[in-house]
Amino acid sequence: MKCVDDYRLRFGKRELVPIIVGGMGVDISSAELALEVARLGGIGHISDAMVPTVSDRRFKTKFTRDKFQQFKYNFENPDKSAVQFNLGQLAEATQLHVGRTMEAKRGDGMIFINCMEKLTMNAAKDTLRVRLAAGLDAGVDGITLSAGLHLNSFALMEDHARFRDAKLGIIVSSLRALQLFIRKNARLNRAPDFIVVEGPLAGGHLGFGLADWQQYDLATITAEIISWLRIEQLDIPVIAAGGIFTGSDASAYLASGVAAVQVATRFTVTSECGLPAKVRQEYFKAGEDDVEVNGISPTGYPMRMLKSSPAIGDGIRPNCEAYGYLLDGNGNCAYITAYNRELTIQPDPKRIKVLDKTCLCTQMHDFNCWTCGHYVYRLKDTSRLLTDGSYQTLSAEHVFRDYQFSVDGKVALPPII
Ligand SMILES: Cc1cc2nc3c(=O)[nH]c(=O)nc-3n(C[C@H](O)[C@H](O)[C@H](O)COP(=O)(O)O)c2cc1C
């Protein structure tokens, strides 16, 4: 029986272990995690979501404080159109986060940055152009375009010196989304270097409808995309993502013709990931009924999370003067609308509940939105229950090696401590 290590992901002359740890926003897929995955020969992701706040945490910069100081006069105003990012600082924050990570890289693997289109930052095109260019300037090995169709993202990079040498790929959840992307970019004569196909069991935002995500499955979408690429004679590695929980799941996908797998949920309980230790225990303890797919993200995409996430129902005041990553360019965000509606209905403004939307910037920043893949409830089977009732935290190396070498649907438990 074959295991993942019997396969390699080929990028030109480079060969990698075909395991990619996906981007997990607002520093859950931390530099430490990405570095470990690269050291082990796979591909790790960092994320550029809320990168000024990540830089503030990592490097003691003051980007978020400066932005708040500049716009605090607007705090009471429901119209956030004046709240704009300083593009110079955005570039600096990205370069710090990416550059320092790349400097620390060891081993044969690669480090990519996950870049979400839905982070419209009140000036979608300008901020995205800066984020992409700064990542390339800072030497990132590749960029994974996610959470959006990204129809113009290649064009935003086309004049960059690294446009043709960096590995650039896209996450799609349907053949149609991929076709749109490829057609739109035909004039650039630059196909993506990889395509991540993300199915409905993934963590984070889902590229399916809230009402119909259950009708789709990763294997079918992946097979459709592989066969279309063959017909079009496009030789692009396809990477499957979402619900690949064991090494055997992964090797079955590799046997079916994908070039690599992208995984995330199993790494949320590793010591290198950015989640606080207490939150990691929530992931370990989750049962199947503790997970839901809901519509509280202001992006409009469904999101899977633990039902116990403090973000659900929390009616905090919008924090766009400091953050504002989801502002649409006209100073709007679906959470501001929901919050202001509740403000007119609920008598005590200090205890407002907002059930239909959440202030995703603040909640992700504070690790209060516990997004996870469908199989989060199996994490408890990947570790040891300790005498104090908590689960033993895993190392990224342990989880990576388990994906790489395990067979027969088995999951290796960590060494007893
Ligand atoms: C905690 C968490 C946060 C995530 N955040 C992002 C994100 O910011 N951007 C993104 O493109 N995908 C995000 N994802 C999706 C993963 O990168 C990955 O493709 C997917 O979760 C793989 O499925 P698995 O978790 O079942 O292994 C996230 C997943 C998790 C578990």
Side-chain angles (χ1 to χ4, degrees), residues 286-297:
E288 192 168 358
D289 292 339
D290 298 330
V291 186
E292 68 180 19
V293 176
N294 63 36
I296 68 169
S297 167

Side-chain angles (χ1 to χ4, degrees), residues 15-80:
E15 289 199 356
L16 297 114
V17 179
I19 300 171
I20 302 178
V21 176
M24 293 182 271
V26 195
D27 215 22
I28 297 176
S29 55
S30 62
E32 220 187 329
L33 176 57
L35 284 164
E36 193 57 359
V37 174
R39 183 183 71 81
L40 296 165
I43 299 176
H45 274 90
I46 51 176
S47 158
D48 80 346
M50 298 182 72
V51 73
T53 72
V54 175
S55 164
D56 291 348
R57 236 178 335 223
R58 269 188 91 187
F59 309 113
K60 311 280 174 269
T61 50
K62 302 274 188 275
F63 297 125
T64 311
R65 190 199 61 186
D66 290 354
K67 182 165 180 268
F68 181 70
Q69 288 300 329
Q70 189 184 353
F71 295 110
K72 70 177 177 195
Y73 71 87
N74 197 63
F75 202 53
E76 300 286 340
N77 189 352
D79 176 357
K80 307 292 182 192

Side-chain angles (χ1 to χ4, degrees), residues 173 200 206-217 221 293 302 304:
S173 292
L206 303 182
F208 303 89
L210 191 53
D212 67 358
W213 63 267
Q214 278 154 321
Q215 294 167 21
Y216 296 91
D217 85 282
I221 308 167
V293 176
R304 177 175 283 108

Side-chain angles (χ1 to χ4, degrees), residues 13-166:
K13 288 194 186 119
R14 261 186 109 148
E15 289 199 356
L16 297 114
V17 179
I19 300 171
I20 302 178
V21 176
M24 293 182 271
V26 195
D27 215 22
I28 297 176
S29 55
S30 62
E32 220 187 329
L33 176 57
L35 284 164
E36 193 57 359
V37 174
R39 183 183 71 81
L40 296 165
I43 299 176
H45 274 90
I46 51 176
S47 158
D48 80 346
M50 298 182 72
V51 73
T53 72
V54 175
S55 164
D56 291 348
R57 236 178 335 223
R58 269 188 91 187
F59 309 113
K60 311 280 174 269
T61 50
K62 302 274 188 275
F63 297 125
T64 311
R65 190 199 61 186
D66 290 354
K67 182 165 180 268
F68 181 70
Q69 288 300 329
Q70 189 184 353
F71 295 110
K72 70 177 177 195
Y73 71 87
N74 197 63
F75 202 53
E76 300 286 340
N77 189 352
D79 176 357
K80 307 292 182 192
S81 48
V83 180
Q84 296 290 328
F85 281 84
N86 174 317
L87 296 180
Q89 288 197 342
L90 181 60
E92 207 184 318
T94 311
Q95 283 180 12
L96 266 173
H97 185 38
V98 177
R100 294 280 177 88
T101 309
M102 296 313 291
E103 278 164 25
K105 199 183 95 167
R106 303 284 177 272
D108 295 334
M110 293 174 124
I111 294 185
F112 290 0
I113 189 157
N114 179 277
C115 194
M116 292 189 275
E117 188 176 40
K118 272 285 175 181
L119 291 185
T120 40
M121 298 172 74
N122 225 6
K125 203 169 159 188
D126 292 342
T127 52
L128 186 56
R129 182 190 282 114
V130 166
R131 287 155 58 200
L132 293 167
L136 293 171
D137 288 343
V140 80
D141 291 316
I143 301 179
T144 303
L145 303 170
S146 70
L149 290 172
H150 282 282
L151 297 182
N152 295 310
S153 299
F154 268 22
L156 292 177
M157 289 183 273
E158 76 175 295
D159 295 329
H160 198 284
R162 296 196 57 219
F163 179 54
R164 289 179 197 277
D165 96 70

